Amino acid sequence: MVDAQSFPVDTPSAPRMINGAYSSSHVYTLTDIEMLTNYAAERGVRILPEIDIPGHAASWTDGYPSIMAKCFKKYSYNINDYALDPTQDDTYDIVEKVLKDIIQTMGVQQFHLGGDEVVYGCWANDTNILEFMEKQGMTSYNQLLEYFVLKVDDITRSYGSTPIHWEEVFKAGAKVGSDVIFEVWTVQDNIKMVVDSQFRVIAAPSDVWYLDHSDNTWSKMYAYDPTTNLTSTEASYIIGGEVAMWGEHVDENNIESIVYPRASSVGERLWSPSNVVDQEDALNRLINHRCRMINRGFKPSAIQPGFCSLTTVPV
């Protein structure tokens, strides 16, 4: 829902957060979010929100600059490196208000809290954070990340939602609760590492399922099965998968052609038995589905030379 560049959600409990939106016309109200949630649910889709913290938090600066780590000058060349200050009580007060508004509006049972790509150099640049770590007996930034994660996880649970984190939180050694779900995005092999520790996993390895990687063709994405080379017990911890489309190089003019129909191929993979692997058969279904989308007004990219009949593909 948010990233370093923009905080587009109007959270009345923390009303200054929308100061971080691109503009006043680029904002989702809670009414908008409720409408989207209901619209999706009526069509069998469950929206899973993510607020990426403590890193990727530059958009929080315009609303509540006091809860940010003081590294603005050092990392001014890349706002993705800004992070929340995990040592302040006010940080958790604002985080709770944001989470409360969104969780209660959407009624979600899981909430993605991010945790990826936290630039420890930002924390290292803040003398108040360093003093806090010394008083707490912390000798590594992994411990500080764990401190933040455990507090925010408890906030999330208090509103009836299960925390989800990116795999960096796992790799940092954070001693999270057994209910926590991890999303693996870097490489396929890391999935086994997480399920071996008996945590549930959402598979989203960038080397096969990232849509902003042009070399991830539909056939490559379709061929990947996250349960491959896992025991039945290990595979049972994989609760789903995601094809990720990040916004750096897309807008309303090209997003449909980049996402579709490749994302549909992964939809079939995740909803099919593992022995459904014939790509020729899958190609025929994908061509028909692409034409179906075109007939409904979407603009999916081409898979191969050909055309769509307006009469042969059912709408």
Side-chain angles (χ1 to χ4, degrees), residues 76-191:
S76 60
Y77 63 89
N78 186 357
I79 63 170
N80 288 298
D81 295 346
Y82 295 170
L84 296 179
D85 181 348
T87 70
Q88 296 191 51
D89 291 340
D90 285 349
T91 300
Y92 302 100
D93 179 59
I94 299 300
V95 167
E96 178 169 5
K97 289 175 177 177
V98 169
L99 294 180
K100 174 179 70 71
D101 282 357
I102 297 173
I103 292 173
Q104 291 184 341
T105 297
M106 299 183 71
V108 288
Q109 296 179 343
Q110 294 89 25
F111 198 100
H112 205 313
L113 297 164
D116 64 314
E117 299 178 325
V118 181
V119 176
Y120 287 165
C122 180
W123 288 342
N125 197 68
D126 190 321
T127 55
N128 290 331
I129 291 177
L130 295 178
E131 291 173 2
F132 175 88
M133 292 179 65
E134 184 176 2
K135 290 179 181 178
Q136 295 291 321
M138 296 181 183
T139 57
S140 73
Y141 294 105
N142 282 346
Q143 291 174 301
L144 186 59
L145 177 62
E146 178 186 61
Y147 176 85
F148 176 87
V149 164
L150 295 182
K151 289 176 76 70
V152 176
D153 281 1
D154 284 344
I155 292 170
T156 304
R157 292 188 189 97
S158 73
Y159 292 101
S161 199
T162 298
I164 302 174
H165 297 286
W166 292 107
E167 68 186 86
E168 282 92 330
V169 173
F170 175 86
K171 291 192 285 188
K175 296 179 178 60
V176 299
S178 60
D179 61 326
V180 167
I181 301 166
F182 288 105
E183 184 164 8
V184 175
W185 70 271
T186 52
V187 292
Q188 304 167 39
D189 291 345
N190 284 349
I191 291 175

Side-chain angles (χ1 to χ4, degrees), residues 8-308:
V9 184
D10 183 3
T11 51
S13 298
R16 298 204 304 272
M17 287 304 306
I18 56 169
N19 293 354
Y22 283 127
S23 75
S24 59
S25 62
H26 292 85
V27 170
Y28 294 103
T29 66
L30 293 185
T31 300
D32 293 331
I33 291 174
E34 183 178 20
M35 182 273 293
L36 287 169
T37 303
N38 293 336
Y39 182 90
E42 289 168 1
R43 290 155 178 81
V45 175
R46 178 164 56 92
I47 297 176
L48 177 62
E50 177 186 355
I51 301 290
D52 197 357
I53 48 178
H56 287 275
S59 59
W60 298 58
T61 305
D62 291 332
Y64 297 93
S66 63
I67 67 172
M68 299 296 298
K70 306 305 183 286
C71 66
F72 303 119
K73 184 176 180 180
K74 180 177 180 180
Y75 290 105
S76 60
Y77 63 89
N78 186 357
I79 63 170
N80 288 298
D81 295 346
Y82 295 170
L84 296 179
D85 181 348
T87 70
Q88 296 191 51
D89 291 340
D90 285 349
T91 300
Y92 302 100
D93 179 59
I94 299 300
V95 167
E96 178 169 5
K97 289 175 177 177
V98 169
L99 294 180
K100 174 179 70 71
D101 282 357
I102 297 173
I103 292 173
Q104 291 184 341
T105 297
M106 299 183 71
V108 288
Q109 296 179 343
Q110 294 89 25
F111 198 100
H112 205 313
L113 297 164
D116 64 314
E117 299 178 325
V118 181
V119 176
Y120 287 165
C122 180
W123 288 342
N125 197 68
D126 190 321
T127 55
N128 290 331
I129 291 177
L130 295 178
E131 291 173 2
F132 175 88
M133 292 179 65
E134 184 176 2
K135 290 179 181 178
Q136 295 291 321
M138 296 181 183
T139 57
S140 73
Y141 294 105
N142 282 346
Q143 291 174 301
L144 186 59
L145 177 62
E146 178 186 61
Y147 176 85
F148 176 87
V149 164
L150 295 182
K151 289 176 76 70
V152 176
D153 281 1
D154 284 344
I155 292 170
T156 304
R157 292 188 189 97
S158 73
Y159 292 101
S161 199
T162 298
I164 302 174
H165 297 286
W166 292 107
E167 68 186 86
E168 282 92 330
V169 173
F170 175 86
K171 291 192 285 188
K175 296 179 178 60
V176 299
S178 60
D179 61 326
V180 167
I181 301 166
F182 288 105
E183 184 164 8
V184 175
W185 70 271
T186 52
V187 292
Q188 304 167 39
D189 291 345
N190 284 349
I191 291 175
K192 180 174 174 56
M193 175 180 65
V194 180
V195 298
D196 278 348
S197 295
Q198 300 181 333
F199 285 105
R200 291 175 293 169
V201 164
I202 298 171
S206 57
D207 51 346
V208 284
W209 278 358
Y210 265 33
L211 291 161
D212 54 346
H213 291 201
S214 59
D215 59 330
N216 287 342
T217 62
W218 82 264
S219 57
K220 179 181 178 182
M221 299 175 83
Y222 185 81
Y224 174 65
D225 181 345
T227 65
T228 299
N229 298 323
L230 298 181
T231 67
S232 59
T233 299
E234 291 169 338
S236 69
Y237 287 102
I238 298 179
I239 62 171
E242 178 184 16
V243 286
M245 180 68 247
W246 306 109
E248 289 92 341
H249 304 293
V250 295
D251 60 16
E252 67 275 14
N253 297 298
N254 67 342
I255 188 169
E256 289 178 1
S257 64
I258 294 179
V259 171
Y260 296 107
R262 287 186 298 157
S264 303
S265 70
V266 179
E268 177 168 306
R269 164 55 50 237
L270 289 169
W271 289 323
S272 300
S274 58
N275 62 352
V276 178
V277 295
D278 189 307
Q279 293 211 0
E280 186 174 346
D281 285 349
L283 176 60
N284 290 329
R285 290 190 293 274
L286 197 60
I287 290 172
N288 281 338
H289 185 58
R290 175 179 179 268
C291 290
R292 187 180 299 113
M293 293 186 72
I294 291 173
N295 288 344
R296 292 183 176 183
F298 295 93
K299 297 179 179 179
S301 61
I303 306 169
Q304 64 178 26
F307 69 97
C308 293

